[in-house]
Each structure stands twice: as C-alpha cells, then as structure tokens.
Amino acid sequence: MNKIKSYFKKKTCAIFLFHGVYESTNKYNIINYTNKHIDVTKFFYYLNKFKNYGQNISIDDLVYLNKNKLDFPDNSFIISFDDGFKNNYNIASKILEDYNFSSIFYLTSKFIYEGTSSWIDYIEYCVEYSDNLNFDFPWGNQSYSKTKISKINFLNKIRKKVKTSSKYDQNEILDIVQKKAKFDINKFNQVKLFKKMSLQNIKSLEKNNLFTLGGHSHNHKILTHLNKKDLIKDIDRCLYLLNSNLKNKIKHFSYPEGLKNCFSNEVINLLKKRGIVSSPTAITGTNNKKTDLFRLNRLSCI
C-alpha cells in the first residue's frame, strides 16, 4: 500500500493512532462501524509495513530529540493507542512485544477505574439493537429506521454535532438516546470490544520497557468544552488516579478527540504546569524537530 510508504520520510517521525484490535470476526452491523477496532490480521499487516519501511522510536526519544533540536532518525515512527481498551493488553501488547516495538498507551482514567465507556460507544450499542426511533435533540428532530445506512447517518450527524459545538453536552445526548432505546447495561457489558483494561493490566504494561503510559483525560470529554473549573478537575483527576497507581509519573497526554477545536493554549498551559511534556493531536500529518510537542500530528490506521 503506497499510502503507508508515503508516511515514512527523512528526518521525520510518524505517530500512528490506534484504538483497538480484535481477533474474532466483528458480528455487528453498527457497533464499530467506524473501524475504531481493527481486525488482528490488518494489525499484523500494518506492523509488517512499518517494519519494512521505518524504524521504531519511543515517545521519550521523540521528546529528547525535539527539545535538543536534533533531527529525527529517517523514517522513524511511534505506535500509540487511545482510551485504554482491554484488547490493547490482551492482544495488541503481546504482538507489539513480539515485534519489539516501543508504543504508548493513552488512558482515560474513568474507563480504567470504573470500566465505563465513551458516550458514543453507548449510543452505538443502542442503535445496534433498536429500530425506527425518533428523538428530540437540542438541535432538532432526528430519527433512524432499521436500515444500516439510516443508522450510520444518524450516528454520523450526532458525532459531528457534539464534537464541533460546546452547546451540546454528550451525556445529555446519551441520556436522550438511552431512555428511548431502553438501554440494557448488562447486555452492553457483554460486548468484548467495549471492555477496558484493569489497574492490574496497566501495571503489567508499565513493567515492560517497551511500553509507556500516558493520560487521556478522566471523563473523555472535549477539554475545550469544559469551563476552567471542570477542565482543571478533569485533568487533575486523571493524573492523580494514574500517578497514584503507577511507578512512573505520567509525562505524556493525548487530547480526547484531538481535533483543532478540542485543545487550546489554556489546555496546553495547564498540562505543562502539571509536568506533561508532550501531547499528540488527531490531526493528520507527520512530525519533525520543529513540530510543537503539544501539537504533534498523528496518522489514523483503520
């Protein structure tokens, strides 16, 4: 695939963004329709391409080179995972260890401590198991039928509305959907794709010198949508919970959603004051020694 090869360049580092890896065939029509979790065969395919085209470095290597204004190794790359899904530990980390690839896992502390999921994962589940529902959202009436395309259009519109405007609270939107769809938490918890790592899992990852752990907020809310009090509370809660249970202090942090509107100078300054030294976005691109460490680009692999 020439597209993958194009990401590897002289004096440049590509940071690849993953969320999850699964082994069995995805049996759902709607859950994971965005391919946030990729099939393990595809994961092997990517890793083999990375091995052939580039050389792996760690996030700490990148920070050291950047701070000292040194060129990155030619065709260098980093592997990153967001959120803290269980399959990062059960599947991905075992494979990464076999390849001897340094990687970083950005953790949403509430997901780890409470085993919860993001608002959109809950909504995807609701839409998967319900048909012909109509909702009165703050932006207007919206519905879906029983067809896959109708449901995907519904979800895409919700994603766009909530991610691009601070007017809409993700938990309020989730509440509207769950009530009408008659959400069943017990059945939701049976979906393997949604399961998160435990404290024991992340402690085990930390023991492996190949792996680095970072923060990814506490509630997985868009940080720029929070008022200053809630913003500080969210960041501090995330760092406190992770630092309290890990031997190494959290130094790296990725922004939830990671789009241009999802972080700001205020967010960056708060992170710096708390000892964070780098923060990747989800903005497409590669990086060189001049790239701002708090505006690192990443490449999504789906």
Side-chain angles (χ1 to χ4, degrees):
M1 187 181 291
N2 291 331
K3 185 178 180 181
I4 295 177
K5 189 174 183 179
S6 71
Y7 297 147
F8 295 89
K9 302 174 183 178
K10 290 184 177 182
K11 302 179 182 180
T12 297
C13 183
I15 305 176
F16 292 101
L17 167 60
F18 295 92
H19 285 86
V21 179
Y22 63 88
E23 287 183 318
S24 57
T25 302
N26 183 19
K27 59 184 178 181
Y28 306 105
N29 287 319
I30 299 303
I31 291 171
N32 198 43
Y33 80 94
T34 60
N35 293 311
K36 183 161 66 175
H37 303 261
I38 64 171
D39 184 273
V40 68
T41 303
K42 195 170 186 180
F43 189 55
F44 274 118
Y45 172 82
Y46 281 126
L47 296 188
N48 285 328
K49 292 296 183 182
F50 299 166
K51 184 178 180 179
N52 290 337
Y53 296 143
Q55 54 180 317
N56 176 235
I57 66 173
S58 71
I59 189 68
D60 288 322
D61 292 333
L62 180 148
V63 170
Y64 174 83
L65 294 167
N66 182 285
K67 284 189 172 182
N68 289 280
K69 299 181 180 179
L70 300 172
D71 287 329
F72 293 161
D74 291 345
N75 310 316
S76 58
F77 69 92
I78 295 169
I79 294 172
S80 69
F81 280 82
D82 279 4
D83 294 352
F85 287 98
K86 183 83 169 182
N87 59 45
N88 293 183
Y89 177 77
N90 287 344
I91 303 173
S93 71
K94 316 303 180 187
I95 298 170
L96 292 167
E97 188 172 12
D98 287 342
Y99 278 78
N100 199 38
F101 280 170
S102 293
S103 309
I104 182 164
F105 299 86
Y106 295 102
L107 308 171
T108 301
S109 53
K110 186 174 182 179
F111 294 172
I112 303 300
Y113 274 77
E114 300 179 25
T116 55
S117 293
S118 69
W119 67 283
I120 196 63
D121 284 348
Y122 287 119
I123 290 179
E124 279 190 17
Y125 172 87
C126 289
V127 174
E128 176 81 44
Y129 293 108
S130 60
D131 298 324
N132 303 311
L133 293 182
N134 186 71
F135 305 88
D136 291 319
F137 291 126
W139 57 80
N141 186 271
Q142 195 177 332
S143 62
Y144 57 85
S145 65
K146 62 181 180 180
T147 67
K148 184 174 181 178
I149 188 63
S150 175
K151 292 182 175 184
I152 289 175
N153 287 338
F154 173 87
L155 288 163
N156 286 341
K157 185 174 181 179
I158 288 180
R159 276 187 157 94
K160 184 176 180 180
K161 288 287 187 182
V162 175
K163 291 183 181 183
T164 59
S165 176
S166 60
K167 294 189 300 182
Y168 309 123
D169 181 82
Q170 59 194 43
N171 289 333
E172 291 180 10
I173 304 306
L174 172 60
D175 188 56
I176 292 171
V177 175
Q178 284 183 325
K179 285 181 177 178
K180 185 159 284 191
K182 298 180 180 178
F183 175 73
D184 187 332
I185 187 63
N186 293 320
K187 289 184 178 179
F188 176 89
N189 288 334
Q190 294 173 17
V191 181
K192 286 186 178 181
L193 287 179
F194 295 144
K195 292 185 180 300
K196 305 302 188 301
M197 284 190 279
S198 65
L199 279 175
Q200 184 178 357
N201 295 154
I202 66 173
K203 287 179 180 180
S204 179
L205 286 179
E206 187 186 33
K207 291 178 182 178
N208 192 319
N209 291 331
L210 285 173
F211 303 139
T212 302
L213 302 181
H216 190 49
S217 82
H218 180 63
N219 289 296
H220 204 277
K221 288 191 173 184
I222 294 173
L223 299 178
T224 51
H225 289 184
L226 302 175
N227 60 47
K228 188 169 184 177
K229 180 180 178 181
D230 288 339
L231 172 62
I232 292 172
K233 182 179 179 181
D234 188 277
I235 293 173
D236 286 348
R237 186 65 174 161
C238 172
L239 297 180
Y240 171 77
L241 289 174
L242 295 178
N243 287 331
S244 295
N245 286 278
L246 298 172
K247 292 183 179 180
N248 299 316
K249 186 177 180 181
I250 295 295
K251 299 187 298 181
H252 309 282
F253 190 102
S254 69
Y255 313 110
E257 305 303 342
L259 304 175
K260 284 185 178 181
N261 67 299
C262 299
F263 61 96
S264 64
N265 288 333
E266 180 184 36
V267 172
I268 291 170
N269 289 334
L270 286 170
L271 291 173
K272 286 181 176 179
K273 289 178 180 178
R274 286 151 178 78
I276 301 300
V277 298
S278 79
S279 291
T281 69
I283 298 170
T284 301
T286 55
N287 307 281
N288 57 44
K289 65 180 180 181
K290 295 183 179 180
T291 306
D292 187 331
L293 287 173
F294 287 82
R295 291 178 172 83
L296 294 169
N297 301 304
R298 286 196 285 180
L299 298 159
S300 180
C301 289
I302 56 174

